[in-house]
Amino acid sequence: MRWENLPAEIVSSRPIDAEVFAPRSTGPVSIGLELLDAEGTVWNARASAPVGHDERLRIPEIRTAGVPGWFGLQAALAPDVDDPQEYLRQTRGRFGRPFWGDSRALKCRLTAKGESGQFASVDSLMRQFPKEVSRTKLAEGGLRGVLYTPKRARSVAIICMSGSGGGVDMVFAPALAAAGFVALSLALFGFDGRPPHHQRIALDYVADAARWLAAESRTRTVAILGTSRGAEAALLVALHFPAVTRLVFGVAPGSVVTPGWSPELQNAGPAWTVRGRSLPYSAGRLNELIPPLESRSEGLLTQTVSTAPFYEEIFRDTAMDSAARINLADLAVPVYAFVGLDDALWPSALACRQLAAMAPAGRFLYKIFEHAGHLLAPPGWPTSLSNRVFHPVENRFFATGGTQRGNALAAQAMWYEILKVLEGLSRRD
C-alpha cells in the first residue's frame, strides 16, 4: 500500500487530490488525516473507504457518514484534547480553527490502513491559501481589515464581514481569494483602529470600503458577504447604498435590526448608523441573557446558552410591522442567503422567510439546510466543534446548533453555490 500524487502543499479550501494504491487483499481502507496547528495542538480525522474499492482509491471517493471526500475529513477533524469545551474557551472564540488563520505552512500527515494490516503514511504541508495569494493589512484612511489578492484575479471583488465577535473574517475571505477573487476582510469593530464594541457602527464605512475596493481592484463589480450580524450589515448596505454593490450573500441573517453589544449588555444602544442617524432597533428581552457582572459565577460562564428563543420573540413580534424590521421592499440587488434549520443562536430560517415575503420577486433567494446550525463556513473549516461557540465579547458559551455531519454538508452545498453565483457574475462582466 502506498500514497501517490499527493501535492507538496495542500490548500485548505480545496479537496485533497491524492490516491492510495491499495491491493484488493487489504480489504476496506481507513484514511487518517493529522494536522499540527500553529499553537501545537494535534487535530485528527478518520474516514473509511467503501468495501468494493478498486486498486487506486482517490480521496474524494472516501465517505464519512455520507459526506464525500475532503468534506468527510473536515466533518470528523477534531482536536486531540481532553476537554473540548475548555479548548474552545482557551482559543477565545476562534471556533477551533487556529491553523486556518495562520499564513505559515503547517504539518500534515495522511495515513491509510487496510483491514489486513497494511499501512501507508505520507507527510505534506497545508496552507490556508495558495502562495499566489498575498495578504495585506489594510489601514487606508479610516478603513481597517485584511486584503487578500490573488495574482490572477477575476473581475469580481468581494467584501467579507464577520458577526458579533468582531475582528476580521478569517474564514470566507481567504477561501474566496484562493478561488481567484480579490477579497477584503473588513473590520467593523473589535480591531485595531476600529471601535472596541458593536455600538453605533456607521454603514457609510462599509459603503466607503466598497468604493475603495472597486477602485483598488479595478472592477466595477463588488459583492458583499456577511455572516450573522455581518449579514445584517450587508442587507442594510444593500438597502441604503444600493449603488456600491451588485450582489449580497447573507450567511445566517436576521430579519430585524437588533441592538449593539458590549461585554456587559446585549442591549447597548443602536448597532448601526446611516449618514449620522441611528437606525431603529428592537431589543426584546435580550438583557435577561446576561446577568449583572457582580452576579456572574464561574459555573454560569461554563453553561451553554441558547439565545434563539429570545430572538424568535423579536423576529415574530417586530419583523413585519416595526421600524426595526429589515424591509426589503425596495431591494435593488439580488441577495442569496444560507441558513441552518437548527440555528440555536437566532432563528435565521424564520428570518429568511420573513425577508423573502417583503422582497421583490426573485430578489431574495435562500436555502435552508436541515441539521445545520448558525456556524456555516466554507471548506477547510472543521465542523466537529461547530454546534457551540465561546463568544469572545461576552466570554460565555452560546449554542449554535446543527450536527457535525449536517454542518459539513451545508458547508459543501453553500460553498459551491457561492462560487457558481460569483463565477456567473464574473462571466457577465
Side-chain angles (χ1 to χ4, degrees):
M1 183 184 295
R2 64 181 181 271
W3 283 93
E4 297 181 347
N5 302 322
L6 181 69
E9 288 190 342
I10 296 170
V11 179
S12 66
S13 59
R14 298 174 183 169
I16 300 173
D17 191 12
E19 295 177 325
V20 178
F21 176 79
R24 290 184 182 277
S25 60
T26 60
V29 176
S30 176
I31 304 297
L33 170 66
E34 180 182 285
L35 289 172
L36 178 66
D37 71 23
E39 297 173 344
T41 302
V42 175
W43 292 67
N44 292 295
R46 189 154 295 280
S48 297
V51 174
H53 67 82
D54 52 22
E55 290 190 347
R56 278 183 170 79
L57 179 70
R58 294 186 68 244
I59 285 285
E61 296 169 359
I62 296 166
R63 301 290 187 270
T64 296
V67 186
W70 167 233
F71 294 93
L73 296 174
Q74 172 191 359
L77 193 63
D80 185 10
V81 295
D82 294 332
D83 186 347
Q85 180 149 316
E86 181 59 25
Y87 172 80
L88 282 173
R89 189 173 181 177
Q90 290 175 356
T91 53
R92 303 295 297 170
R94 281 177 288 158
F95 318 141
R97 48 179 169 82
F99 40 96
W100 309 124
D102 196 281
S103 60
R104 294 171 289 176
L106 304 169
K107 182 180 177 182
C108 168
R109 172 170 294 169
L110 285 165
T111 59
K113 186 176 182 180
E115 194 175 59
S116 64
Q118 293 196 46
F119 182 81
S121 176
V122 64
D123 291 331
S124 184
L125 298 173
M126 178 171 282
R127 286 186 180 274
Q128 178 185 350
F129 46 87
K131 287 181 178 178
E132 60 266 22
V133 175
S134 65
R135 181 170 68 172
T136 307
K137 191 171 182 179
L138 176 65
E140 183 78 22
L143 301 179
R144 296 293 184 271
V146 179
L147 181 67
Y148 297 88
T149 308
K151 284 185 178 178
R152 295 184 178 179
R154 303 184 187 222
S155 61
V156 176
I158 186 164
I159 290 175
C160 300
M161 298 182 293
S162 58
S164 61
V168 293
D169 165 71
M170 295 168 57
V171 180
F172 283 93
L176 287 164
F181 300 94
V182 176
L184 171 59
S185 182
L186 183 66
L188 299 178
F189 60 94
F191 192 78
D192 186 32
R194 293 295 298 157
H197 305 304
H198 190 179
Q199 295 171 290
R200 293 185 58 83
I201 303 300
L203 294 172
D204 314 56
Y205 164 80
V206 182
D208 289 342
R211 298 184 190 101
W212 177 88
L213 184 59
E216 177 70 15
S217 60
R218 299 181 181 179
T219 179
R220 54 191 174 84
T221 304
V222 173
I224 299 177
L225 182 150
T227 60
S228 194
R229 297 303 299 269
E232 183 181 309
L235 291 173
L236 292 169
V237 169
L239 290 174
H240 292 279
F241 303 95
V244 303
T245 184
R246 292 273 300 278
L247 179 72
V248 166
F249 295 106
V251 180
S255 55
V256 174
V257 177
T258 51
W261 283 24
S262 76
E264 292 79 28
L265 292 172
Q266 279 203 356
N267 180 8
W272 313 107
T273 68
V274 172
R275 300 180 180 93
R277 298 183 61 181
S278 299
L279 294 185
Y281 64 92
S282 180
R285 298 186 297 118
L286 290 180
N287 270 347
E288 297 178 20
L289 288 173
I290 307 180
L293 283 172
E294 60 271 14
S295 67
R296 299 186 196 183
S297 66
E298 185 69 19
L300 181 68
L301 296 180
T302 61
Q303 295 175 4
T304 301
V305 179
S306 175
T307 57
F310 292 84
Y311 283 100
E312 183 169 355
E313 286 182 16
I314 295 173
F315 290 2
R316 289 194 183 280
D317 291 347
T318 66
M320 303 309 291
D321 59 4
S322 166
R325 67 178 176 171
I326 301 176
N327 187 349
L328 301 186
D330 296 325
L331 183 65
V333 299
V335 173
Y336 295 82
F338 305 93
V339 298
L341 187 60
D342 296 337
D343 191 335
L345 198 68
W346 66 14
S348 52
L350 168 63
C352 279
R353 296 187 187 103
Q354 294 173 323
L355 291 166
M358 291 182 278
R363 285 277 169 80
F364 185 88
L365 306 173
Y366 65 95
K367 289 192 175 182
I368 299 176
F369 301 106
E370 289 189 290
H371 312 301
H374 192 79
L375 297 182
L376 302 181
W381 182 77
T383 62
S384 59
L385 302 177
S386 60
N387 62 354
R388 57 186 165 175
V389 61
F390 186 78
H391 200 282
V393 175
E394 296 184 10
N395 297 322
R396 291 193 68 185
F397 285 97
F398 289 118
T400 51
T403 65
Q404 174 179 313
R405 175 177 178 268
N407 287 331
L409 284 170
Q412 180 184 22
M414 175 188 68
W415 182 243
Y416 290 146
E417 183 70 18
I418 288 173
L419 290 185
K420 183 177 73 173
V421 172
L422 287 175
E423 287 167 358
L425 186 60
S426 182
R427 284 194 299 269
R428 288 197 297 273
D429 287 357

